[in-house]
Amino acid sequence: MKVKVLCRNPDYYLRETKRDIYKVPRNYEPSLHPFEGLREYTRALNAVKLERVFAKPFVGNLDGHQDGVSCFGKHPQRLSLLVSGSYDGEVRLWDLPQQKCVRNFRAHDGFVRGIAFLPDGQQFVTVGDDKTIKMWKTDLPDWGEEEEPTNTYISKSVIMGVSHHQKEPMFATCGELCQVWEEDRNEPIRTFQWGVDSLHDVSFNPIETNLLAACASDRSIILYDTRDIGPIRKVIMTLRSNRLCWNPMEAFIFTCANEDYNLYTFDTRKLKQPLQVHMDHVSAVTAIDYAPTGKEFVSGGYDKSLRIFEHGKSHSRDIYHTKRMQRLTCVLWSMDNKYILCGSDEMNIRMWKARSAEKLGVLRPREKTALNYSEALKRKFGSHPQISRIARHRQVPKHVYHAQKELRTIKLKQKRKEANRRAHSKPGTVPFLSEKKKHIVEEQE
Amino acid sequence: MEDIDAVCSDNSDHEINEVQHSSLLDAVSQLDIKQRVKPPSRKESSFQVSEFHLGKNDANRHAVLIRNLTKSLGQQGSHAVITKQLRSIHRKAKTLPRPLEKPVAARIQRSVGFRNAKIQLGRWDAVVYSNRVADQLSFPLKQSTVSFQTTNDFISKLKSQTRTPLEQQMDEILNNSPAVQEERKEEEEYQLSLAEMRERRREMAKLRAQQSYMASKASRQKKIKSKKYHRILRRERIRQQLKDFEVLQKTDPEAALQQLEQLERTRAEERMSLRHRSTGQWARNKAVRAKYDEESRQELAQQLAVSRELTQKIQVESSSDEEVEEENCENRIPTNNDNPWIAPKTTSEVDEFVSEYRKYWEEHNKKSSVETSSTNEIAAHNKVEDVREVGSDVRKGHTQNHETAPGDKNIKEEDLMGSCSLESVNTTDKNNEDICIDTDIPVKEGQKCTDAVYNSTETPAAQHSTFEEVSSTEGQSERKPNEENDTAEWINNSTEILSKEERLSPKKLKSTGEELNSNTLVHPQMKNVSPSKPKSMAEQEDDGTKIIPKWISLNKHKQVNISSGVHQKRNISPNKQENITEEVNNNIMIQLKRKKLSEKKPNATAEQVNSKKKKTKSSFNTDGDKFEPLECHSTLIATTNSWVVTPIVPEMGKMVDYNISEGKSNKQNKRNSTDKSTKKKEVKIGKLFDDMQEKLKEKVDKKLKKLKSEMNIKDKDKAEDTNTESDNEGPSLKLKQVNVQANMDEELVEQPHDGLQETESSNMNLNKIVAESRLEEEQQEPPADNIDPNKFIAMKPKHLQTELPDIVTGGDEAIDDNEDDSTERQMTITEAFAEDDVVAEFRKEKEEVTDKSQPKSIDLSLPGWGEWGGKNLPVSSRKKRRFIIKFPAVAPRKDTNKGNVIINEEKNNKVVSHQVSELPFPFTSVKDFEASIRAPIGNTWIPETAHRKLTKPSVITKLGTIIKPMDEDMLVNKEKKVKGMP
C-alpha cells in the first residue's frame, strides 16, 4: 500500500544566498516546452536586431599629427602603445587607453615610410624618404636628454618600407632593392634584386621567419628566402598590390591589398591562383592587417572606409566609416583582437572596436552565457532570410553606394559582353575564366 | 734609262736606309698578325679575380708546364711515387664544363629555393588544418604554465647564501673530484631539461619494470612441469590462431586465403615428410626406451600428437558457432503437439520416406532405361541422386498426412511420363492442369489451418512444387511450347513477386528467420562473418535480392552502390532467381554432408519457394501457368545442378558470369538428361533455353556494363582526387568540420547613409501607413451598440499543441486509482458546455470557410446596364451568359468528407518571408539542415551543460591578452604531459 506524503526539501526551492538567482526546477520534457524552433527563431531575430542596435564600433579619435598619417608601428608586447608616422616626417607615440600623444619628434625629412618594432619592444626602426634608417628607443628620453636616434643607417637608395624579423636582430627594407640589415652593421648584409622595379612594401613572415614577401611596382609580389638564396618566386597580377600581410596563425597564407579594389589571399605554395578574392571595396585598397587570431583581417583604402573580412570569405563582414574620415593609409589590428586602428589622410588616427556590437569590459558569467547563446542563435539561423537581411544591413556613405552601383553595372556589362562574344565566336575560343584566375598574369620562377 | 736610273737610285736608297727598311718590314709583318690582349700579369694580391683575367690557351704557350718541371725527376726509383701520382693526376685532369648562363643559373637556384620553402611551409599543414576545423580555439593558443616556488627551492636559496666554511670546503672537494667532473661533462654534453630528465627516467623505469615482469613470467612458465598445462597452453595458442584467422577472414579475406594456403602447405609437407612420426632415428631410439621409460613414452606420444595436429584438416567454422546455431534452430521450433506439421519426425519416418522415393526412382529409371539411351540413363541416375537430396531435405517437413501425398504424386508423375511419350500439346496442357489441381490441394489445406501454423502448412505445397518440378524436368519437352509465352513474362513475374516478397517480409518474421537458416547454411563463410547476428542477417537476406550485394560486400567491393539497391535489385533479379536455386541446392548438399537435422531447414527451403507461391495464392489457378515455368526453371536448375557454389566469388562481374556459365552447364546437364527419343523437342527446348540464356545474358551484360562504367567513373573521380591531392604536397590533412553550421558568405546590404532614398522610402512608408489604416478601418468591428451578448460565448478556442503535464492531469497513478474519476470529469465538461451547441457552431464555421474558399464566378455586367425596366427584375439568361464568367470547377476540399476538421488549404504568406528558400552552403540535404534547425540549443529545452556546450563561441580571446603569432613550438610538441609535473 502506498502512502502519499507531502515532501518538501527546502534545498530544492530555496536560494542559498540572497543574491543567488531563484531556483527553478526544470522539467525538460519536450511537450512542456513546445515550439522550440519557432521560439528560438524569435530569439535569434531579437538577438540580431539587438546586435544592430548595439553596433557602435567607433571608440575614439587620436588627433595631433600635422600631416597625413602614413604608417603605424605595432608594439609586440604593449597593447597601450601605438607609434605612428606622418607625411611630414613626424613620429608620434600614443597612449591608447588615455587617447593621448605621449611623445612626438621629427624623425625624417619627408615622409616616414615605415615603422617596425624590434622583437623585444625596446626600440623601433623608422625609415623615411631621406634614405635613412633610424632606430629609436621606445621609452621616453630622460630629463634633459635630446630626442636622438640610437642608430642611423644611411642607405644608398630610396627606402619605401621596413619589416623586422620576428626573432633575430635583422630587418629588411625595400625600395629600389630589397635589403636585409643587421642591427649592428651599417651596411646591408644582403641585397636582393630581381628585375629593376622598385618595391613599395616588404613583410617578414612571422612564423616561417626566414621568408620575406615584397610588393613591387611592376604589379608583382616577390618572395624571398633571406637565408642564402634570395628571391624564390614572383607572381605578377593585373594591377599592383599595395600592401601585403602574412597570416600570423597560418604560415603559408598571406593576403595582399590590390589596386583593383580587391584583396587576394594566397597560399604561398600555390601562387598560380589566389585561394580567395575578397571584393567589396569600391576603390584601391591601400592597407591591410590581420587579426592576431588569423581568422579575420581588416583593410582600408581610397574608398574612405574600413572593411573587415573573415578568412576564407569573399565578402566583408562589416564596414566602418565616418563622415570625416578620408583615404586610409594604414590600419592595425590590436594584439588582443579587440580593437582596430586606422590612420588616414586627414591627420587623424581612429580607434574602432573589432566587433561592432561587442560589449567591452568585464562580463558577468550569466551575461557571457547569454551573449554566447545569442551568438549561437545568430549562427544557427544565419541562413534565414530575415535574420541574414538584418545582420547584413549597413548604412554606407553615398559615394560608396554609388560607386558600388556603378561597379555592379560595369561588372554586368563585362559579363554580358563576354557572353555575347562567346555566343558569337567559335566554341572554345573564348574560354571561361574563374574570378580567381582572372587577376593573375603569370607566376615566374 | 730613266728606269735604270730609278733602280740605281733605289739601290742607292737601300744602301742609305738600312735601318728604316728593316723597321718597315717589321711593320708589314706586324700587319698580318692579329692584335692580342696582353696576358695578365700578377701585380698585387687581391680577393677579387676578374673573369677577364683568365687567359686564353695560347697565352699559356710560354707558361711553365708541370711536364717540364717533372722532367728533372727523371726515371729514378726514389721518385717513383711522385711520378705515379703525377701521372694519375694527368690522366684524371679534365677541363671543367662551362658555367651556366647567369639567368639560367639564377632560375635554377630560385626554383630549388622555392621547393625548399614549400617543404618548409608544408610542415604547418597539420597545425593549420586542425586549427581551422577546431570547434573552439582559445587564444593565445600556447597558454603559459603557472609555476609556484616550492619550499625546497626557497630553502636551497637560503642554503647557498649561508654556508659554514666547512661546508664550503666539502663542496669544493666534492666538486673537484674526477667522478663528479665527468658527470658534469656528460651533463654539459647532453643538457637535458628537468622535465626531459624526468621523462627519460620514467620511461627507463617503465621499460625495466616491463622487462623484469616479462622475464619472471617466462621463467615461471618454463618451470611448470605439468604436461597438461603446456598442452592447454598450446591448444589455447592454436585456438587463438584460429580466432585470429577468422578475424583475418573477415577483415582481409585475401590474407586469410594466403594463410590458409600456407597451412595447407605445411600440412602437405608434414604428410609428405616423415617428421614427427615414429620412423625417425630419434623416435626409434625413444621407442626402444619407451618400454621402460615413461618420459620417453610421453615424448613420443607428444611427437605423434604434433604430427596429428599438423596433418589435421582445418575446419573453418568453430564448433561452438554451430552449436549455437543448432540451439537457435531448436529454440525457434514451436513444439506444438497439436500441430501435426510441426511434430518432430523420427529418423525411421524419414528413412521410410526416403526409401519410398528411392524405390519410385528406381522404378522410374527402369522404365526410362527401356525408352532412353544409355546416356540418358546416366543423366537420370544423376537426377535420382539429386532428387534424393531434395527428398532428404524435404523429409523433415514431411508429415503423416503427406505420406500419402508422395504416392499420389507418384501416380501423377507416372501419368506425366505417359503424357511425355504421347508428345501432344493437348495432353501437356491437361497435365499442367492436373498439376495445378494437385498443388491446390495442399494450399487449401494450408488455408484451413490457422495463421500460426501457416508456414508449416505450406510446406507440403512446397514439397509438392518441388516434386512437380522434378516431374517437369521429365515433361519439359511437352511443356516448353506452353512456356514459350510464359518465358517472356518470366523476368517480370519474378521481379514482381520478389518485390512483393520484400514488402511482405516484415510481416512474416518467422519465415524470414527460416530463410535465414537456409541462407546462413548456404554461405558458411558468411555465417562466420556475423555469427552473432542471425536476425540482422535474416533481415538482409529474407529476400533473395539482397544476396548479391551481400556477396559483393563480402568480397570487399564496397564501391558498388548499394544505396541504389532498389534499382539494381530489379535488374539483377534474373540472376537472383538462379542464386536462390543455388542456395537451395547448396543448402541440400551441405545438409547432407553435415547431417545436421535441424527441423527448420527444409521448411526454410520450402518457404523460399513457398513465399512466392503465397503471393500468387489468391489467383493460383489462373496464374498457375504463369507461375509454374518460373518455379520449374528454378528447381530445374536445382535438381539437375551438380555444382557446388563457392561462396566467395572474387568479383561481382565474375560472379554473374559464373552464374551464366552455370546456367549453361545446367542446360548442358539437362540436355544430357533429356530423352533421345524426344530429341526434336529437345532441340526446341535447347533453342528456347538458349534464347532465354541469351536474353538473360544480354540483360546481365547491360547491367554489368552500366555498373562497370559507374565504377570506372568513380575510379576516375578517385584518381582525379588523388591527382589533385598529389598536387597538394603530401597527404591531405583536411579534416571534417565537426559542428556544421550554415556558412554565409554574402555581400552586405549597403544603403546610403543619409538622404538619397529617404524621399522614396518615406513615400513608401506613407503609402504603407495609409493602406494599413484603411485595412484597420475595414476590419474595425461594428460599434459597441450592436454587441450581442450571446456572441461572446462563441469564443474561438485556442488549442495549443501540447499535452498537459502529468502533474496537472494527475499522472498515470491518478488514472489507475480512480477510473470513474475520468468519467466524472467528462461529465463536468459536458455540463460546462451544456448550453453551447459546439457541434453546430463548428459546422457553421466550416461552412463559412468552405464558402470562402469556393471561387466565385465573375460578374462583368455593369450596374444598371441593360436594366431599363428598373431594379430587381429577373436577369435575362442571355445577359447571364454574356457577362458572368463561371469559374471552372475546382477540386473538392480536402476536408469535405471529414466531418470534424477544417483543413486550411491556403498557405500563410507571412510565414514565407521567414522561411529559407535555398539550402545553405555546407549542407547537402534538406533533411540535415532541418535537423540542425530543429535541435534546440537554449537552456529552456536542454540541460545547462549541453546548452553551454552547444553555445560555446568558436574563438575565445581575452581582453588585454596579447596573442603572439604562432611559433615553432606549436609545430613539434615535444613535451609530453607527465603526471605529477607542475
Side-chain angles (χ1 to χ4, degrees), chain B residues 210-227:
Chain B
Q210 274 174 343
Q211 247 174 2
S212 71
Y213 172 71
M214 292 293 276
S216 65
K217 196 185 173 186
S219 66
R220 245 187 295 125
Q221 275 185 349
K222 211 179 171 189
K223 264 182 198 168
I224 294 170
K225 279 178 186 166
S226 162
K227 296 271 174 209

Side-chain angles (χ1 to χ4, degrees), chain A residues 2 4 26 28 31-37 39-41 43 45 76-79 166-167 194 205-208 211 223 225 227-229 231-233 248-253 268-271 275-276 280 292-293 295 307 311-319 321 323 335-339 355 360-361 369 372-373 376-377 379-386 388-389 391-398 400-402 404 408 443 445, chain B residues 106-107 109-114 116-125 127-129 131-133 137 139 141 727-729 739 741-757 800-807 813-814 817 912-918 920 929 932-944 947-948 950-955 957-968 971:
Chain A
K2 245 180 198 174
K4 282 185 179 174
R26 287 214 60 87
Y28 292 106
S31 63
L32 300 183
H33 310 283
F35 305 124
E36 58 263 28
R39 282 163 81 185
E40 287 216 313
Y41 175 74
R43 284 178 195 182
L45 207 58
Q77 271 110 41
R78 281 164 63 183
L79 285 171
Q166 192 63 27
K167 286 164 192 159
W194 187 358
N205 188 333
I207 309 169
E208 207 52 67
L211 228 54
L223 290 169
D225 192 326
R227 278 169 296 190
D228 51 347
I229 295 149
I232 52 175
R233 194 55 59 115
M249 286 294 155
E250 302 182 353
F252 43 82
I253 302 287
T268 313
R269 298 166 298 177
K270 283 166 249 163
L271 294 169
L275 287 179
Q276 196 82 48
D280 264 352
T293 57
K295 299 266 179 200
R307 277 184 190 268
H311 182 250
K313 290 197 179 169
S314 56
H315 290 292
S316 57
R317 159 170 83 75
D318 216 337
I319 176 171
H321 55 84
K323 216 168 190 178
M335 293 286 278
D336 63 345
N337 196 32
K338 295 283 182 206
Y339 298 97
R355 273 161 298 280
L360 296 173
T369 47
N372 284 348
Y373 180 42
L377 282 177
R379 257 180 281 140
K380 183 182 169 186
F381 292 98
S383 54
H384 284 65
Q386 290 299 311
S388 76
R389 181 184 64 80
R392 288 185 296 117
H393 186 264
R394 296 286 182 282
Q395 300 286 355
V396 291
K398 254 188 265 178
V400 173
Y401 178 75
H402 287 305
Q404 236 163 11
R408 217 168 284 141
E443 186 191 4
E445 277 194 2
Chain B
R107 197 179 304 139
Q109 198 185 18
R110 284 198 296 263
S111 63
V112 168
F114 185 65
N116 290 339
K118 251 172 150 181
I119 292 163
Q120 196 84 354
L121 288 168
R123 295 179 306 153
W124 294 94
D125 271 338
V127 184
V128 168
Y129 290 136
N131 276 353
R132 273 187 198 168
V133 299
L137 280 177
F139 289 100
L141 293 171
D727 288 342
N728 290 354
E729 303 298 314
N739 196 2
Q741 250 168 351
N743 191 4
M744 301 289 288
D745 185 8
E746 282 177 28
E747 226 173 324
L748 295 171
V749 184
E750 287 163 12
Q751 282 189 344
H753 192 36
D754 34 24
L756 204 67
Q757 282 203 333
L800 290 175
Q801 290 180 324
T802 52
E803 293 171 9
L804 278 177
D806 286 349
I807 311 155
E813 283 177 40
D817 284 349
V912 171
S913 67
H914 289 272
Q915 281 171 333
V916 183
S917 55
E918 277 176 15
F929 174 63
S932 82
I933 294 297
R934 209 181 302 122
I937 53 172
N939 59 0
T940 319
W941 295 277
I942 54 172
E944 192 65 27
H947 165 66
R948 292 271 165 93
L950 288 171
T951 57
K952 67 182 178 187
S954 54
V955 172
T957 55
K958 252 186 192 170
L959 190 72
T961 313
I962 287 172
I963 303 162
K964 294 227 157 184
M966 198 174 270
D967 75 44
E968 299 258 323
L971 197 60

